[in-house]
């Protein structure tokens, strides 16, 4: 049976510590019709040497940027090069379960979805389990998403038709900003896959580690992108902070 191509976008910047795990988790998928777009965003450590071990793999598309353009633009470059019917995302410090794409694509086709996300684990630098995140809505809507970002990028599989005319902006929480814009402007048919299919690594340099900065970014996002009134922004921001505290209580 013919399988639809899935383009997996992985921006990389100075990721020598965890990169090998991330790449192997994509190339080890049970779903085989993939292209892994690795966008090296001007790394200065041993990232390029690690990637060189995978360049000969027929599933790998390597894009080497001459300078650091930031994670948002690196993802946009990946989107411009992607050829798949579906787009998936993973950062260079995260890990996928081997059956992730198989399960989510089956769900999307059976239910006529154009957007899928899943449960996931929080792990530490050594891959030890910190918490399973599974207390999330089964269906995603703009109204529920505005109160908290319960859709981390590494769990998403989205139809390329839905996302092709959108781009990531260089703002804090660029993924959350795009999801809000997409859900506000498009007919997104999104459901959670009720299984743990990915592992989000929490470490000193991860965004999740800086919760104060994260909260500031969300406030500016509500006010500047979503054009909320001060009162609406306050209410939704407090919800966001509360859910964030619960999420990272382990």
């Amino acid at each position: 049976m013919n399988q639809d191509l899935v383009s997996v976008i992985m921006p990389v910047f100075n990721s020598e510590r965890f990169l090998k795990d991330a790449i192997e988790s994509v190339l080890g998928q049970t779903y085989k019709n993939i292209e892994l777009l690795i966008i090296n965003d001007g790394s200065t450590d041993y990232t390029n040497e690690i990637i060189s071990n995978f360049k000969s793999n027929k599933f790998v598309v390597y894009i080497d940027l001459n300078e650091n353009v930031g994670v948002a633009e690196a993802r946009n470059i990946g989107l411009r090069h992607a050829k798949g019917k579906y787009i998936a995302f993973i950062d260079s410090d995260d890990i996928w379960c081997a059956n992730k794409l198989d399960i989510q694509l089956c769900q999307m086709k059976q239910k006529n979805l154009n957007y899928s996300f899943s449960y996931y684990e929080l792990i530490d630098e050594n891959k030890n389990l910190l918490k399973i995140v599974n207390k999330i809505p089964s269906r995603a809507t703009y109204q529920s998403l505005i109160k908290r970002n319960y859709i981390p990028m590494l769990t998403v599989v989205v139809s390329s038709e839905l996302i092709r005319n959108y781009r990531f902006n260089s703002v804090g929480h660029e993924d959350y900003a795009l999801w809000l814009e997409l859900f506000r402007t498009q007919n997104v048919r999104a459901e959670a896959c009720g299984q743990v299919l990915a592992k989000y690594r929490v470490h000193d340099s991860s965004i999740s580690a800086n919760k104060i900065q994260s909260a500031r970014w969300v406030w500016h996002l509500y006010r500047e992108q979503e054009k909320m009134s001060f009162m609406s922004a306050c209410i939704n921001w407090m919800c966001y902070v509360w859910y964030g505290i619960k999420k990272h209580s382990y």
Side-chain angles (χ1 to χ4, degrees):
M1 181 177 68
N2 292 331
Q3 291 183 319
D4 294 315
L5 178 65
V6 179
S7 298
V8 182
I9 296 175
M10 179 189 290
V12 177
F13 176 68
N14 289 352
S15 304
E16 61 182 10
R17 294 173 65 195
F18 309 119
L19 180 57
K20 183 173 180 286
D21 284 345
I23 293 175
E24 289 180 345
S25 76
V26 175
L27 297 180
Q29 288 294 295
T30 55
Y31 188 94
K32 296 303 182 184
N33 194 16
I34 65 171
E35 58 171 6
L36 172 58
L37 295 99
I38 302 176
I39 302 95
N40 187 2
D41 189 19
S43 296
T44 57
D45 62 357
Y46 289 101
T47 287
N48 192 52
E49 285 78 359
I50 295 169
I51 296 173
S52 66
N53 295 319
F54 298 94
K55 287 180 181 178
S56 62
N57 189 297
K58 66 179 181 179
F59 299 111
V60 171
V61 178
Y62 181 51
I63 302 170
D64 191 10
L65 306 182
N66 293 324
E67 60 182 356
N68 179 254
V69 298
V71 65
E73 185 56 28
R75 289 196 181 106
N76 290 332
I77 291 169
L79 284 172
R80 289 197 292 270
H81 284 81
K83 299 177 181 177
K85 182 175 180 180
Y86 297 94
I87 307 291
F89 303 91
I90 184 171
D91 285 342
S92 55
D93 51 358
D94 295 328
I95 300 172
W96 280 358
C97 299
N99 57 353
K100 177 184 188 296
L101 292 180
D102 254 329
I103 289 176
Q104 287 185 261
L105 289 168
C106 181
Q107 174 206 33
M108 293 176 78
K109 291 175 181 179
Q110 287 181 349
K111 297 188 174 183
N112 191 30
L113 306 176
N114 53 13
Y115 189 109
S116 172
F117 56 104
S118 75
Y119 299 162
Y120 60 102
E121 294 179 357
L122 298 178
I123 60 173
D124 67 13
E125 296 184 8
N126 299 313
K127 297 189 281 191
N128 297 310
L129 175 65
L130 299 174
K131 186 174 184 177
I132 295 175
V133 181
N134 56 9
K135 305 300 183 184
I136 59 176
S138 59
R139 291 174 179 261
T141 64
Y142 177 79
Q143 289 73 23
S144 63
L145 198 58
I146 200 70
K147 291 179 172 60
R148 56 170 169 152
N149 182 14
Y150 51 84
I151 306 179
M153 175 156 286
L154 78 160
T155 73
V156 170
V157 180
V158 59
S159 163
S160 59
E161 182 179 6
L162 181 68
I163 201 174
R164 68 159 57 104
N165 293 323
Y166 290 78
R167 65 187 301 275
F168 294 93
N169 293 319
S170 296
V171 297
H173 288 321
E174 73 286 340
D175 55 337
Y176 187 35
L178 180 57
W179 303 155
L180 289 175
E181 182 183 10
L182 194 66
F183 276 74
R184 176 167 41 80
T185 59
Q186 294 293 317
N187 177 26
V188 183
R189 303 183 301 278
E191 288 190 16
C193 183
Q195 298 185 48
V196 172
L197 297 177
K199 303 173 188 289
Y200 182 96
R201 198 184 310 249
V202 179
H203 52 89
D204 290 343
S205 57
S206 66
I207 290 175
S208 293
N210 191 339
K211 298 176 182 61
I212 295 175
Q213 181 64 68
S214 175
R216 288 173 179 164
W217 285 340
V218 170
W219 173 260
H220 289 297
L221 183 59
Y222 287 162
R223 293 285 281 160
E224 295 171 14
Q225 175 178 298
E226 300 306 306
K227 307 298 182 185
M228 288 184 186
S229 68
F230 180 82
M231 185 59 67
S232 293
C234 283
I235 293 170
N236 286 293
W237 185 82
M238 285 188 289
C239 289
Y240 184 94
V241 170
W242 169 246
Y243 283 120
I245 292 171
K246 291 178 63 178
K247 172 183 171 182
H248 291 285
S249 57
Y250 43 78

